[in-house]
Amino acid sequence: MRQTAPEGRGPVRYGPPAPEPDLPVLPGLAAILAASAGRTGVEPPGGGPVLREAAAGYWWRRGLRTHAEDVVAAPGAPPLLLALLAAHGGDVLLPRPCPPWWTPQARLLGRPAYHVPTPAECGGVPDPYALLETVRRVRAEGGRPRVLLLSVADDPTATVAPPELVREACEAAVGEGLHIISDETWRDTLHHPHDTVLLSPAEMCPDDVTVLCDLGAALAPAAWPCAVARFPPTAPSRADRYTDRRARTLDVLTALGAVVTGPVAPAAAHALDEPEEVVVRAARAAALHGRVAAAAHRVALAAGAVARPPQAGRHLYADLGPLRAGLAARGVTDSMELENHLTRRLGTPVPGGHRFGDELGALRVRFDTGPLLGSDEEERTESLGSATPEELPHVARALNSLGAALEELRTEPASPAQHPDGPRRHA
């Protein structure tokens, strides 16, 4: 019998952790958090004015007109997405594959969630024609598709959707009456920001897109949960308090008690203001993970796997389908068994594609680059300061271990009779 989770733990609780940078906390942010530790007051639901003003400035600098009244903050992206879906109602459409924490939010609300295939060149954004066909089929079966979730800088595939694809997908969604929730959590982790064009759906469809961003990806430590959402400033619904989705989102957050903690709020606002220390760290971390992800990509291709070149984030999504024969010889025939095998082999979580909505029979996995940076803070700090981190001894060893784990899948395992010391005898 296959054992995929420790006894007493459900599939959501056992779900894969988000890729973490494993880098030291910035001294400036740590100092602000420490100075705020004595705060006894709580942030109001949706965030206080200082935090919301900082978030508005963050989006202004990215070309999206935003004011504090257009922003809502919450203690992390999952509760914020839950509130957004509750506020909009209807069935949910999302790309395949997609972040592992998206689907559980829809299921918690009892909403049907339909996966739409993505094109060959990227993940995160559904193929426009497949989207239209899915909407048609869902409606024919009595469904009520209302929301499209997408991510232009994607986890798990680590790709950035081309602007023309984003435009076509958004036009198709809006034409069918769908509201778009654009998860732009990873937009500040581009490996080559000067060579990669990232277009927010909110730039093209300003009245039909809500933007979601979790600070834990680039601006603040993941252990300090804070996420912000930007609502369309001029959407017609904003004029009616009974249909205002921002107000309904605030109602849900209030009912959940989902508020940003008092000490975290000032640190999050400081990070959203993007002082030089935060900007420099984010750029250095993105470059570090980009170089290590590129090295891991080369290792995967050399072993016979298939993977799109990573462009953002801290991960690599690989298809080990070409190694199916060697995997089958080891009793690995689906992504659940592949997850178990590689997690044991590498000693670090290697979530299978089924965690991201991919077919169980597809042999796909997400490799995170954080564990490749070093085993302690000293090694990770050294990786952050290196221009060629992939050449550092501890990073090279980790990459070699990854390569060895994949290379051994190209051949069938040795039988006892083929053991170098001869047949093993049993007492």
Side-chain angles (χ1 to χ4, degrees), residues 36 88 108 248 255 294 361:
S36 305
H88 283 83
L108 284 171
R248 292 165 66 182

Side-chain angles (χ1 to χ4, degrees), residues 89-93 111-114 134-147 176 178:
D91 301 347
V92 182
L93 298 164
R111 303 279 172 75
Y114 301 93
T134 303
V135 170
R136 184 201 64 76
R137 176 175 55 81
V138 170
R139 285 180 175 152
E141 295 174 355
R144 298 182 305 120
R146 294 278 181 84
V147 176
E176 292 296 330
L178 304 180

Side-chain angles (χ1 to χ4, degrees), residues 327-370:
L327 286 165
R330 290 166 172 79
V332 177
T333 59
D334 60 31
S335 64
M336 192 178 299
E337 294 168 340
L338 180 59
E339 173 183 296
N340 291 338
H341 173 80
L342 288 176
T343 295
R344 286 193 302 266
R345 177 64 175 80
L346 295 172
T348 188
V350 183
H354 61 287
R355 302 285 183 185
F356 310 101
D358 249 333
E359 300 86 350
L360 183 63
L363 297 173
R364 301 189 181 109
V365 290
R366 185 187 71 186
F367 296 106
D368 296 345
T369 53

Side-chain angles (χ1 to χ4, degrees), residues 3 61 83 121 138 156 163 205 260 266 284 313 321-322 324 342 358 363 375 404:
Q3 182 72 22
R61 292 188 294 275
E121 63 265 33
V138 170
C205 307
V260 180
R284 290 175 61 190
R324 187 176 293 273
L342 288 176
D358 249 333
L363 297 173
S375 58

